[in-house]
Amino acid sequence: MTGPDWFDAGLPHIWLPYTQMQTATPPIPAIATDGCRISLADGRQLVDGIASWWTACHGYNHPHIRQAAIDQLARMPHVMFGGLVHEPALRLARRLADLLPGDLERVFFSDSGSVAVEVAIKMAMQYWLNRGQSGRTRLVAFRGGYHGDTLATMAVCDPEEGMHSLFAGILPQHFITDLPRDDHTTAALERLMETEGQRVAAILVEPLVQGAGGMLFHDPATLRRLRDIADRHGVLLILDEIFTGFGRTGTMFACQQADIVPDIVTLSKALSGGTVPLAATVARAHVFAAFLSDDPMHALMHGPTFMANPLACACANASLDLFEREPRLEQVAAIEEQMRDELEACRHLPAVRDVRVMGAIGVVELDRINDMNRLKARLVEQGVWVRPFRSIVYLTPAFTVTKAELARLTGAIRTVLAEAP
């Protein structure tokens, strides 16, 4: 494949994510984005069905976020957050505390979802160390879960998941079990906590949807069981809302559907409206209080270089403005209804195992995908950008997607899956 000069000159020097570089088909050069569209170097335009890994919740290049970035760039694109603070970060922290349930009020900023989860793990373990309990070094996490690609987060992902199984035996060991969806799995988790609970610092879960682990759904009752089990066994509950936060499941945060308050929550993805990398780990008052001491070693010794980047925080504040001013959750409800109607026809295709929709997440699960490269290429030929993984074809569009654009996305999936042998 040939492309613009910059493509041909630079591609031999790039290492792409999640890609076997020896066998992969070449990536497609993109030159511009706008709304729900990606413009390619060859003149084609694709409707984006996954909002750049679920981040561009308002669509690309929203004028309000763009103007906030321009204004902040002229004023102060970055300043260290050690010993200095600035208005965009403090305003954002206050707004997040106001939006989140309960007393989730202390915000630690970082620059990626994986790091936000790393910080949450570190907080949970040091919480107990600072309270004089050195034996709580394990987490409980769940099969089907995914929390990132750094070493600590790989250790709390599903150990059978293909991306990280190579590192089995190298990573720290935690307790990975089934989500308590029913009496049987709840009893199994109870037995684990009865026997190992004194070694557990926290329970970690993606609320309502386990994203990259397979777009697996569970109900709010499962989260309520986890909150109850964590309370009865005296451990912390961490919710990883990196995927689910900011309206993706139909409420601003997934935990609101279960009416629970986690002890720590992680946020990223749509936090800055899909513009600049930003993440946050937010703790309740009692978690923060455990770090207050005359002993300097009780402080949280963590500090990303670009922590609370003012440009990213300005974009995040602009994104929150849009949630306040524009009917995003109503748009999510309309997307959910349309995807339910238009993806249902896939259920009757021979290779389809399941069709499920929650909020602005639509999933067609297959028995298997025999030729992933061909499937991706055919979707591009249909004029859409959809990135299946494993046996999952899914949509997580921007909340501003039009009915016609969404119909094109669902129609492309129906057409291409009907072709599959």
Side-chain angles (χ1 to χ4, degrees), residues 90-302:
L90 269 59
R91 184 157 64 97
L92 178 59
R94 177 188 57 78
R95 294 176 79 179
L96 290 174
D98 288 345
L99 282 170
L100 287 161
D103 61 341
L104 284 160
E105 61 184 33
R106 288 288 177 165
V107 182
F108 189 97
F109 288 114
S110 56
D111 48 14
S112 80
S114 293
V115 174
V117 177
E118 293 252 356
V119 171
I121 293 171
K122 194 171 181 177
M123 277 183 185
M125 291 185 176
Q126 190 175 344
Y127 170 85
W128 295 107
L129 290 172
N130 286 356
R131 289 161 56 96
Q133 297 190 41
S134 60
R136 292 185 179 270
T137 60
R138 301 288 185 94
L139 278 80
V140 172
F142 298 99
R143 294 186 179 95
Y146 171 85
H147 301 282
D149 297 335
T150 53
L151 282 171
T153 58
M154 284 197 296
V156 288
C157 294
D158 188 327
E160 303 301 321
E161 203 283 315
M163 284 192 293
H164 301 149
S165 59
L166 182 66
F167 293 87
I170 300 173
L171 299 172
Q173 297 298 301
H174 297 288
F175 301 114
I176 311 297
T177 187
D178 291 319
L179 276 167
R181 300 171 184 268
D182 53 31
D183 291 345
H184 175 72
T185 49
T186 299
L189 179 56
E190 290 280 10
R191 287 193 298 272
L192 172 63
M193 295 303 296
E194 288 290 341
T195 57
E196 302 288 357
Q198 292 303 309
R199 302 169 65 193
V200 173
I203 297 171
L204 170 63
V205 66
E206 298 160 272
L208 299 188
V209 185
Q210 295 175 299
M215 296 291 171
L216 305 171
F217 296 177
H218 54 270
D219 60 19
T222 299
L223 299 181
R224 289 192 287 270
R225 291 186 197 103
L226 289 173
R227 179 70 274 180
D228 176 64
I229 290 169
D231 289 342
R232 285 190 291 102
H233 292 277
V235 303
L236 301 178
L237 178 64
I238 304 171
L239 295 192
D240 179 351
E241 291 241 20
I242 287 166
F243 173 35
T244 57
F246 304 103
R248 183 57 65 181
T249 65
T251 49
M252 195 64 173
F253 302 102
C255 62
Q256 293 171 315
Q257 296 186 40
D259 195 25
I260 64 167
V261 181
D263 300 291
I264 302 172
V265 65
T266 60
L267 307 170
S268 190
K269 295 292 187 188
L271 174 57
S272 73
T275 52
V276 184
L278 184 64
T281 306
V282 188
R284 292 179 67 181
H286 70 277
V287 175
F288 179 74
F291 290 78
L292 300 178
S293 171
D294 292 331
D295 185 348
M297 294 304 294
H298 282 193
L300 180 61
M301 301 301 289
H302 203 94

Side-chain angles (χ1 to χ4, degrees), residues 12 15 22 24 27 33 44 47-48 75 131 135 164 181-182 212 230 237 276 279 297 342 389 392 408 418:
W15 197 332
Q22 181 165 294
T33 55
R44 290 179 294 169
V47 179
D48 186 357
R75 188 162 52 247
R131 289 161 56 96
H164 301 149
R181 300 171 184 268
D182 53 31
L237 178 64
V276 184
M297 294 304 294
E342 295 177 356
F389 68 97
I392 302 296
R408 187 168 182 183

Side-chain angles (χ1 to χ4, degrees), residues 326-387:
E326 300 186 5
R328 290 291 178 262
L329 297 183
E330 291 88 343
Q331 290 170 317
V332 170
I335 291 168
E336 180 177 36
E337 182 178 1
Q338 185 176 347
M339 286 198 297
R340 284 190 191 279
D341 290 343
E342 295 177 356
L343 291 178
E344 183 61 26
C346 294
R347 192 181 300 276
H348 308 292
L349 297 174
V352 171
R353 176 180 296 175
D354 190 27
V355 176
R356 50 189 180 269
V357 176
M358 182 189 297
I361 306 166
V363 182
V364 180
E365 182 177 355
L366 307 175
D367 291 326
R368 63 188 178 280
I369 295 176
N370 294 320
D371 189 340
M372 183 67 78
N373 287 335
R374 179 185 178 279
L375 179 59
K376 291 176 179 178
R378 284 291 294 128
L379 288 164
V380 170
E381 289 169 8
Q382 294 291 312
V384 301
W385 184 244
V386 177
R387 297 288 286 174

